[in-house]
């Protein structure tokens, strides 16, 4: 390796791979991306509700770096086949590459993406290319980094042209997040956790990963899992990350119309809403005709919340 190539790497390069339900034969979707993509994985898997396992290959290497290709080649395993591969790679790293200023760098990115698509097509014909989201300034995340914006825009145009060349579907997540400004950044690259559930929902809504039969079957299974009753209104008890993932799964399957409200154990001061549904203290909700879905990550907390809901008169309480 040339010294210049070595010095072009970031001070810390990282790699994160994930094989979901690795001990089972199942339909699979693969995400190839960075830390933004990684944050989408779990939300996407919740929406797909075991219809597909969602695997991940995430890294910081430049798409031109031999370590990217070395690690990606070692990722594939004959035990796993993919129904869909979503590529969202190379937008938030490798800023020694200046596509917005250098046509040679732009061609290198295009060639890298062409090679990536061609490699992925050996394992799956259904390739989806997702573009990159804007970056904020490190010192003030309320402001867009203007140079990075130009660079990411140039890369987005490059991968869009590669998608068209290879007949890949293209998902414009960058425009989506510019329109939906209610989702804030937590640092110069990453969004708040609710945003990733929204992105996953928008992705599967815009680009059908499940076919019609799979969608209907998965919807039935999801309803069964939640012991869903059409004569009930539903309360999501827990407005954190797990509750929001549940909300977007319900929305994807057309069940969100039955959501009455969100619930909290804590005291609610003033009027509070989340996704246009009110948030109430669980003790202030009339239980008649309503069911509760508890959506928190902690088993200990979920047991406490189940007891709280039952003590307030709810006879249908489901743990998500």
């Amino acid at each position: 390796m040339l010294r210049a190539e070595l010095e072009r790497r970031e001070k810390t390069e990282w790699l994160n791979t994930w094989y979901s339900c690795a001990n089972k034969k199942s339909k699979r979707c693969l995400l190839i991306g960075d830390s933004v993509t990684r944050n989408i994985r779990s939300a996407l898997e919740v929406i797909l509700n075991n219809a597909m396992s969602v695997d991940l290959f995430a890294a910081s290497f430049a798409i031109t770096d031999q370590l990217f290709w070395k690690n990606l080649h070692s990722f594939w395993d004959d035990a796993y086949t993919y129904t869909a591969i979503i590529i969202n790679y190379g937008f938030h790293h490798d800023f020694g590459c200046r596509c917005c200023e250098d046509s040679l760098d732009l061609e290198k990115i295009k060639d890298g993406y062409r090679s990536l698509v061609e490699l992925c097509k050996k394992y799956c014909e259904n390739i989806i290319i997702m573009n990159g989201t804007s970056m904020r300034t490190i010192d003030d995340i309320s402001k867009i980094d203007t140079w990075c914006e130009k660079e990411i825009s140039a890369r987005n145009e490059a991968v869009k042209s590669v998608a068209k060349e290879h007949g890949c579907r293209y998902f414009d997540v960058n425009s989506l997040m510019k329109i939906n400004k209610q989702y804030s950044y937590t640092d110069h690259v990453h969004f708040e956790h609710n945003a990733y559930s929204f992105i996953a929902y928008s992705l599967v809504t815009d680009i059908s990963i499940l076919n019609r039969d799979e969608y209907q079957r998965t919807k039935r299974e999801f309803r069964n899992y939640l012991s869903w009753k059409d004569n009930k209104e539903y309360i999501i008890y827990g407005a954190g990350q797990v509750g929001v993932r549940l909300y977007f799964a319900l929305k994807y399957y057309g069940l969100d119309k039955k959501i009455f409200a969100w619930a909290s154990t804590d005291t609610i001061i003033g009027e509070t809403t989340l996704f246009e549904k009110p948030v109430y203290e669980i003790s202030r909700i009339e239980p008649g005709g309503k069911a509760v879905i508890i959506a928190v990550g902690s088993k200990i907390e979920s047991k406490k919340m189940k007891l709280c809901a039952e003590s307030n008169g709810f006879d249908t309480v489901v743990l998500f």
Side-chain angles (χ1 to χ4, degrees):
M1 168 179 276
L2 297 176
R3 182 175 177 180
E5 292 175 334
L6 183 65
E7 290 179 346
R8 185 166 164 172
R9 287 180 179 160
E10 297 178 1
K11 184 177 180 180
T12 301
E13 297 280 10
W14 57 267
L15 174 71
N16 183 198
T17 59
W18 185 283
Y19 299 95
S20 187
C21 300
N23 61 343
K24 295 179 181 178
K25 282 282 186 183
S26 62
K27 282 199 167 187
R28 292 182 176 273
C29 172
L30 171 63
L31 295 174
I32 298 176
D34 59 13
S35 54
V36 172
T37 326
R38 180 176 60 198
N39 288 335
I40 298 169
R41 194 207 69 81
S42 297
L44 182 58
E45 196 162 61
V46 169
I47 289 174
L48 294 176
N49 188 44
N50 299 320
M52 285 186 196
S53 302
V54 181
D55 295 350
L56 173 74
F57 178 93
S60 61
F61 306 113
I63 201 168
T64 54
D65 193 319
Q66 63 181 350
L67 271 181
F68 168 74
W69 295 101
K70 180 180 179 180
N71 283 288
L72 182 58
H73 279 291
S74 69
F75 174 83
W76 307 102
D77 191 287
D78 291 341
Y80 309 124
T81 57
Y82 293 99
T83 300
I85 296 177
I86 301 166
I87 303 173
N88 175 230
Y89 197 84
F91 301 104
H92 303 123
H93 295 277
D94 185 31
F95 290 121
C97 175
R98 295 173 175 265
C99 296
C100 63
E101 299 169 0
D102 190 326
S103 59
L104 292 177
D105 279 350
L106 185 63
E107 282 306 310
K108 286 178 184 177
I109 292 294
K110 283 186 177 180
D111 287 342
Y113 249 80
R114 290 182 184 113
S115 297
L116 180 53
V117 170
E118 287 162 8
L119 175 63
C120 289
K121 283 202 169 185
K122 292 179 181 179
Y123 299 92
C124 174
E125 282 298 316
N126 184 18
I127 310 295
I128 299 152
I129 293 180
M130 181 163 63
N131 66 5
T133 50
S134 297
M135 292 177 65
R136 301 300 175 113
T137 60
I138 293 174
D139 296 331
D140 184 357
I141 62 173
S142 69
K143 297 177 181 177
I144 288 178
D145 187 310
T146 53
W147 185 84
C148 287
E149 186 72 2
K150 291 179 184 177
E151 181 62 19
I152 291 169
S153 294
R155 296 184 189 192
N156 283 346
E157 285 302 312
V159 303
K160 185 177 183 179
S161 69
V162 172
K164 187 175 181 180
E165 284 175 23
H166 288 267
C168 301
R169 290 181 291 173
Y170 183 76
F171 181 63
D172 186 0
V173 67
N174 191 37
S175 295
L176 177 76
M177 299 313 289
K178 285 184 185 306
I179 293 168
N180 291 276
K181 295 180 180 179
Q182 67 271 31
Y183 297 104
S184 59
Y185 281 76
T186 57
D187 59 31
H188 69 293
V189 177
H190 303 99
F191 296 99
E192 61 175 289
H193 67 76
N194 289 359
Y196 298 108
S197 294
F198 172 67
I199 291 170
Y201 163 78
S202 301
L203 173 64
V204 296
T205 303
D206 187 63
I207 296 175
S208 300
I209 294 176
L210 301 179
N211 63 38
R212 182 176 295 181
D213 290 342
E214 288 170 334
Y215 174 86
Q216 292 298 335
R217 185 183 70 249
T218 306
K219 180 178 179 178
R220 288 194 300 271
E221 291 172 354
F222 194 52
R223 286 169 56 96
N224 291 339
Y225 172 72
L226 295 173
S227 302
W228 194 265
K229 296 178 175 62
D230 289 330
N231 63 345
K232 295 273 190 181
E233 290 185 297
Y234 280 81
I235 298 159
I236 301 177
Y237 191 2
Q241 186 175 29
V242 177
V244 171
R245 287 176 179 173
L246 169 63
Y247 168 82
F248 278 107
L250 292 171
K251 188 174 177 67
Y252 177 59
Y253 295 111
L255 302 174
D256 58 306
K257 299 176 184 63
K258 301 293 289 185
I259 299 172
F260 171 75
W262 301 80
S264 170
T265 306
D266 301 327
T267 300
I268 304 296
I269 299 173
E271 289 189 11
T272 303
T273 61
L274 182 60
F275 301 115
E276 301 181 346
K277 300 290 183 180
V279 184
Y280 299 125
E281 294 170 51
I282 190 71
S283 60
R284 293 179 178 271
I285 302 174
E286 171 58 45
K290 299 178 183 69
V292 174
I293 306 174
I294 295 173
V296 291
S298 166
K299 291 184 179 179
I300 294 172
E301 279 302 306
S302 65
K303 288 180 181 178
K304 290 179 181 178
M305 292 163 73
K306 185 174 186 293
L307 289 172
C308 181
E310 289 172 343
S311 68
N312 280 284
F314 293 97
D315 58 10
T316 302
V317 181
V318 179
L319 303 182
F320 176 66

